[in-house]
């Protein structure tokens, strides 16, 4: 859906610090931005991301997962909160909940996730630690369409970060996160400009099915 000024309405879901949300807020503040953030939702009442949204004048909702007996009832309440903002795109920006298939299907082709690894490497949690343990020389982050497969949907774009001698989890995570802040607004901007789509189970950019993720950000 579009807002009254024609920009794409985006709802962002966060569980924690919300630094990626902040990158989106900052990008949306540019007059050239094709999207605006109409709502921020968190499953954690204390998430710093909620404070960032309030500071930017963006409406917030909390759907606290601990108050629901199962995933289906939580996801139903989450969907109701999202739909209340009538978004054209839902962005999972550090949203740390596994979602049901019904929920994912409802937002098929209009839900993106940012994941801190070069997918398909290191799906799931503790990606930086696992990358260091595996001894990889390159690590990074990916933005992908959300599908039923956890961290397994078609990847649109990635940032690559060299692993340095002496890196620990915190130093590597910090460098990856800084690059996430370039990657996420870039891909959301593409989506808002109708440049990116999910079609036939693949990610498309500018009318072509991607053979591999685009490297961000040229
Ligand atoms: C980011 O590194 C994001 O990629 C990751 O959580 C962090 C949130 O940081 N997401 C996942 O691990 C999802 N599986 P932020 O709250 O400061 O944006």
């Amino acid at each position: 859906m579009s807002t009254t000024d024609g920009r794409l309405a985006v709802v962002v879901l966060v569980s924690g610090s919300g630094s990626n949300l902040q990158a989106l807020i900052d990008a949306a503040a540019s007059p050239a931005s094709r999207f605006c953030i109409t709502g921020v939702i968190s499953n954690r009442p204390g998430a710093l991301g909620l404070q960032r949204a309030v500071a930017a004048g963006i409406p917030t909702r909390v759907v606290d997962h601990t108050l629901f007996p199962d995933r289906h009832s939580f996801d139903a309440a989450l969907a109701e909160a999202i739909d209340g903002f009538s978004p054209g795109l839902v962005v999972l920006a550090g949203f740390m909940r596994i979602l049901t298939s019904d929920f994912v299907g409802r937002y098929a082709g209009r839900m993106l996730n940012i994941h801190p690894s070069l997918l398909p490497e290191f799906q799931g949690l503790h990606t930086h630690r696992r990358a260091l343990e595996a001894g990889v020389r390159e690590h990074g982050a990916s933005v992908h369409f959300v599908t039923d497969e956890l961290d397994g949907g078609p990847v649109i774009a990635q940032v690559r970060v060299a692993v340095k001698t002496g890196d620990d989890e915190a130093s590597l995570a910090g460098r990856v996160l800084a690059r996430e802040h370039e990657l996420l607004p870039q891909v959301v901007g593409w989506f808002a400009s109708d440049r990116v789509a999910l079609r036939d189970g693949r990610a498309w950019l500018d009318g072509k099915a991607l053979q591999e993720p685009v490297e961000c950000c040229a």
Side-chain angles (χ1 to χ4, degrees):
M1 300 257 181
S2 295
T3 55
T4 45
D5 63 3
R7 295 189 296 161
L8 181 78
V10 178
V11 164
V12 184
L13 273 54
V14 298
S15 295
S17 147
S19 69
N20 276 292
L21 164 67
Q22 189 65 55
L24 290 173
I25 291 171
D26 294 347
S30 156
S33 172
R34 303 292 297 268
F35 65 89
C36 70
I37 303 168
T38 53
V40 170
I41 302 172
S42 181
N43 62 311
R44 295 192 182 278
L48 176 59
L50 290 169
Q51 293 176 37
R52 294 181 190 268
V54 169
I58 300 167
T60 61
R61 300 277 182 279
V62 173
V63 185
D64 182 346
H65 65 277
T66 65
L67 303 180
F68 294 85
D70 52 40
R71 282 194 197 282
H72 276 97
S73 55
F74 169 71
D75 280 6
L78 188 59
E80 201 179 318
I82 291 171
D83 294 350
F85 291 118
S86 304
L89 177 68
V90 179
V91 177
L92 310 182
F95 188 67
M96 306 305 276
R97 299 297 301 167
I98 292 173
L99 299 163
T100 58
S101 172
D102 282 355
F103 181 91
V104 169
R106 185 183 187 96
Y107 302 104
R110 53 189 185 106
M111 184 156 64
L112 302 177
N113 179 47
I114 183 156
H115 181 78
S117 79
L118 293 172
L119 290 171
E121 298 296 317
F122 309 118
Q123 298 171 337
L125 297 175
H126 310 302
T127 59
H128 308 301
R129 188 190 314 166
R130 287 160 55 214
L132 288 170
E133 283 168 2
V136 295
R137 295 171 63 184
E138 256 194 338
H139 186 44
S142 308
V143 172
H144 64 95
F145 281 106
V146 177
T147 63
D148 266 351
E149 196 191 333
L150 183 67
D151 299 327
V155 178
I156 303 161
Q158 295 181 323
V159 283
R160 292 178 178 275
V161 171
V163 177
K164 293 183 183 169
T165 311
D167 256 337
D168 60 15
E169 209 177 325
S171 63
L172 183 57
R175 286 206 313 286
V176 171
L177 190 61
R179 299 294 315 281
E180 290 184 40
H181 300 160
E182 297 170 39
L183 174 65
L184 188 57
Q186 172 82 264
V187 178
V188 172
W190 288 343
F191 188 95
S193 306
D194 289 328
R195 293 183 57 189
V196 76
L198 178 69
R199 212 175 299 150
D200 307 327
R202 300 175 74 175
W204 291 60
L205 179 67
D206 295 335
K208 291 192 190 104
L210 291 173
Q211 305 301 318
E212 54 191 27
V214 176
E215 255 193 64
C216 180
C217 304

